[in-house]
Amino acid sequence: MPADVLPVAADVPWSDSLTAYDKAHFTIYMRFLDAAADNASYEEMADLILGIDPEREPERARNAARSHLDRANWMVTTGYKELFAN
């Protein structure tokens, strides 16, 4: 599970530019987009992708999942442009 390999923030560090966090967690973002397309709940995403137990930490699970999904959506609508610059 990627959460075991890379530290996962409770809230994604937000910036108007790509961050080191974005680059390190790109695969996680893609997993979030895939899960959202399959109508997974925030709780399911937090558990399966981030390794956060939504029963033990419901607020943290929901906030972390929402934060990562929001950033994943930003990546595919805006942030990707920086990947192809230069």
Side-chain angles (χ1 to χ4, degrees):
M1 173 184 317
D4 293 337
V5 177
L6 299 168
V8 176
D11 288 310
V12 173
W14 200 269
S15 173
D16 289 334
S17 299
L18 287 177
T19 66
Y21 189 90
D22 294 329
K23 292 173 185 173
H25 293 82
F26 184 79
T27 301
I28 288 174
Y29 293 162
M30 296 306 105
R31 290 183 68 198
F32 266 95
L33 293 172
D34 188 46
D38 287 339
N39 295 314
S41 68
Y42 285 125
E43 292 76 16
E44 290 171 307
M45 289 187 257
D47 186 26
L48 297 173
I49 300 171
L50 300 178
I52 301 172
D53 183 345
E55 289 186 21
R56 288 187 12 193
E57 300 178 273
E59 187 173 334
R60 178 174 174 250
R62 187 168 186 78
N63 290 341
R66 182 178 295 147
S67 175
H68 283 81
L69 183 57
D70 286 349
R71 191 63 175 179
N73 281 314
W74 177 85
M75 286 284 295
V76 297
T77 59
T78 304
Y80 75 92
K81 295 172 190 171
E82 288 185 41
L83 294 173
F84 299 110
N86 295 328

